[in-house]
Amino acid sequence: MGVKGDFMVKVMRNERVAAVLPMQENWLPLSNLDFILPPVDVSVFFCYKKPTGGENLFTFGSMVSVLKKALAQTLVSYYAFAGELVQNSVGEVELLCNNHGVEFLEAFADLELRHLNLHNPDESVEGKLVPKKKQGVLSVQVTEVKCGGLVVGCTFDHRVADAYSANMFLVSWAELAQSKPLSQRPSFQRSLLDPRRPGHYDPSLDDMYVSVSALKPPKDPRPSVSNDPLISRIYYIEAEQLSWLESLASDNGCKRTKLEAFSAFLWKMVAAGEDGSGKICRMGIVVDGRKRISEGDSEKTTMMAAYFGNVVSIPFGEKNIGELKEKPVSWVADAIHECLETAVTKEHFLGLIDWVEAHRAEPALAKIYVGSGNEDDGSALVVSSGQRFPVSKVDFGWGKPAFGSYHFPWGREAGYVMPMPSSLGNGDWVVYMHLFKWQFEMIEMQAAHLLRPLTCDYLKF
């Protein structure tokens, strides 16, 4: 079955959707954990087959009306997404909650879903099915396709929300579209992430985060291929293969998770494509801190579960490329587990909040984002678990998505990988990857039996 990436998308209407209830203008400060996120946008999209139940019941126009009405209702609770980011008098970014609204585009794509080249989102999704956010915090695009299905794409500012927060919003939007009560209301209680007085933090955080002014000029991880760009691809890995990887990573007697096993496998694959064995290769894992910060406090646990904003840290490990090539998957998985142990504690996140407070005078970033700047170092990549991705819950009333994925070509030096549950609900993973072309070539050469290019045939479009 042929796929298309050269299809045309025509925007038919562009308007702004604001919260359905009037709101008093107010300022919402960013938390210290928001400040360590770079100014990048994150996209997410969902593909829906042509609804069943009658031609007149689910027309494109009627579905758009449902989405708009529910969005206006959702923005009452998620008012941060209807605001604007503005610099305050001391040069820090704050969120102006003024009900500026969300840019809402209606579009038509000249293709059928079954011909969509999902394996190559650079060709089929970027700039076509997810909107380029021009202003505000969130943009939405709803695209009709020739077969009667549609694609709902969103793009939001990462400084305002992490994936956990975006997932809450998506589920709430779908619930209100079906006239259901919200299963969870967001909390913007920034005091939950206030620094301690006096603050204190472990010196190891100086190795994980860095002030922007201290960064070295960017370097290419492989000078011989300096024109090699970061590109995005989507694969899938079957549940049976994930279990096999998990057992492989646990064969030294220490039980490892599927995420640790998959990350170890990926780290080895990337290292296998590096020149030389003396270089250092880095692997970062995104850790959500909501449960960690509230550890031992049941009331705070409930509040943090509803917290809207960024509550993530990115610990990373670094290993000699020669060791990564030679050692078994279990050894690499142990290294990842040890790296994670430094960040899955309450003290780590409280210390990170204090570290940011001590460096508030200038912007800071996770070091893994930007590399070390040393010519002798190899590449780096970040894995972010998308296992909470609620693909089966984003049902606006005409059925669950046939497919959904985040899309995050973030423009950093490090690669980015997000495994998510398959929309088929069979235990498979869909894996969004943003890496260098040579890294994909190495992975496909050595692991074609594990990571397979995502196709509409697999998704049963």
Side-chain angles (χ1 to χ4, degrees):
M1 183 179 295
V3 295
K4 291 181 65 176
D6 58 349
F7 60 92
M8 298 293 293
V9 176
K10 183 178 181 180
V11 175
M12 311 300 290
R13 181 179 299 178
N14 184 347
E15 58 185 296
R16 191 163 296 281
V17 175
V20 68
L21 296 178
M23 294 184 176
Q24 184 175 357
E25 184 173 295
N26 66 90
W27 291 89
L28 180 66
L30 299 187
S31 79
N32 279 9
L33 297 185
D34 294 321
F35 282 133
I36 51 177
L37 271 295
V40 295
D41 291 336
V42 184
S43 295
V44 59
F45 67 100
F46 301 90
C47 302
Y48 298 85
K49 295 180 183 178
K50 180 180 179 179
T52 57
E55 294 294 328
N56 296 326
L57 184 60
F58 292 114
T59 65
F60 179 68
S62 67
M63 291 186 285
V64 167
S65 295
V66 168
L67 289 168
K68 284 182 183 177
K69 179 181 177 181
L71 178 59
Q73 294 170 335
T74 310
L75 291 174
V76 174
S77 297
Y78 291 83
Y79 53 85
F81 268 159
E84 297 178 278
L85 286 169
V86 181
Q87 275 196 341
N88 62 21
S89 58
V90 296
E92 290 183 341
V93 173
E94 288 190 359
L95 191 56
L96 175 60
C97 299
N98 58 358
N99 202 17
H100 176 71
V102 171
E103 184 181 37
F104 193 103
L105 295 90
E106 299 172 41
F108 176 80
D110 184 26
L111 91 161
E112 297 184 12
L113 277 183
R114 63 194 179 98
H115 294 150
L116 184 60
N117 185 4
L118 289 169
H119 175 56
N120 185 351
D122 288 340
E123 182 181 72
S124 61
V125 176
E126 177 70 16
K128 292 183 177 180
L129 300 178
V130 294
K132 288 285 188 184
K133 184 174 66 61
K134 297 175 182 177
Q135 55 183 324
V137 177
L138 170 70
S139 292
V140 173
Q141 179 178 320
V142 183
T143 306
E144 180 183 15
V145 291
K146 284 169 63 176
C147 58
L150 77 161
V151 180
V152 177
C154 304
T155 300
F156 62 91
D157 196 309
H158 200 346
R159 292 171 294 178
V160 173
D162 55 14
Y164 183 103
S165 304
N167 291 343
M168 278 200 303
F169 165 79
L170 291 165
V171 171
S172 295
W173 187 13
E175 288 172 340
L176 290 176
Q178 296 196 62
S179 300
K180 295 179 179 179
L182 294 184
S183 56
Q184 188 171 50
R185 293 185 181 276
S187 167
F188 298 94
Q189 191 174 335
R190 298 301 196 227
S191 60
L192 291 168
L193 302 182
D194 277 350
R196 295 172 290 192
R197 306 291 184 191
H200 56 92
Y201 58 87
D202 192 281
S204 63
L205 286 169
D206 289 324
D207 297 324
M208 287 177 57
Y209 290 87
V210 61
S211 297
V212 171
S213 62
L215 294 177
K216 296 180 180 180
K219 54 90 184 179
D220 192 283
R222 293 184 70 193
S224 61
V225 287
S226 58
N227 293 322
D228 190 12
L230 282 161
I231 57 178
S232 296
R233 296 291 184 266
I234 302 179
Y235 295 83
Y236 74 94
I237 180 169
E238 295 177 340
E240 182 180 331
Q241 300 288 2
L242 283 169
S243 296
W244 176 75
L245 273 180
E246 189 178 19
S247 63
L248 204 63
S250 307
D251 70 358
N252 60 358
C254 297
K255 177 68 173 175
R256 298 298 176 227
T257 66
K258 287 183 173 65
L259 182 69
E260 288 171 332
F262 174 77
S263 300
F265 153 76
L266 194 62
W267 202 0
K268 279 184 66 67
M269 292 300 98
V270 169
E274 294 279 5
D275 297 328
S277 59
K279 293 181 180 180
I280 296 298
C281 187
R282 292 175 173 80
M283 163 70 79
I285 307 288
V286 177
V287 176
D288 184 280
R290 286 170 173 80
K291 289 183 180 179
R292 280 84 186 186
I293 286 175
S294 57
E295 184 181 345
D297 186 334
S298 58
E299 184 179 352
K300 193 170 185 178
T301 297
T302 301
M303 291 189 289
M304 284 304 303
Y307 182 82
F308 187 99
N310 288 286
V311 195
V312 295
S313 179
I314 311 180
F316 65 90
E318 48 187 27
K319 292 295 179 182
N320 181 282
I321 286 173
E323 286 185 311
L324 290 170
K325 290 179 179 180
E326 296 167 8
K327 297 289 186 180
V329 170
S330 59
W331 183 89
V332 183
D334 287 347
I336 288 173
H337 184 78
E338 291 170 11
C339 164
L340 283 171
E341 282 190 323
T342 66
V344 293
T345 66
K346 181 177 184 177
E347 179 54 38
H348 170 80
F349 279 91
L350 295 180
L352 179 55
I353 292 169
D354 291 346
W355 185 94
V356 176
E357 187 68 16
H359 297 78
R360 279 281 286 270
E362 59 177 308
L365 288 173
K367 278 188 177 180
I368 190 72
Y369 278 143
V370 291
S372 67
N374 295 326
E375 291 296 331
D376 293 333
D377 283 353
S379 54
L381 67 156
V382 172
V383 175
S384 178
S385 173
Q387 292 312 300
R388 292 194 188 97
F389 184 51
V391 62
S392 64
K393 295 182 179 179
V394 189
D395 180 351
F396 296 102
W398 45 83
K400 298 176 182 179
F403 178 71
S405 173
Y406 273 91
H407 177 66
F408 192 26
W410 65 353
R412 304 284 108 186
E413 285 188 55
Y416 179 84
V417 175
M418 178 182 268
M420 295 160 279
S422 168
S423 57
L424 298 180
N426 57 0
D428 294 356
W429 283 3
V430 165
V431 187
Y432 170 81
M433 308 178 79
H434 187 63
L435 302 172
F436 287 99
K437 183 179 178 182
W438 63 266
Q439 292 172 328
F440 282 118
E441 290 171 350
M442 179 56 60
I443 290 169
E444 291 183 357
M445 181 173 66
Q446 297 203 13
H449 61 296
L450 289 177
L451 278 171
R452 301 177 183 179
L454 185 74
T455 65
C456 291
D457 286 343
Y458 164 75
L459 295 167
K460 300 179 174 60
F461 275 9

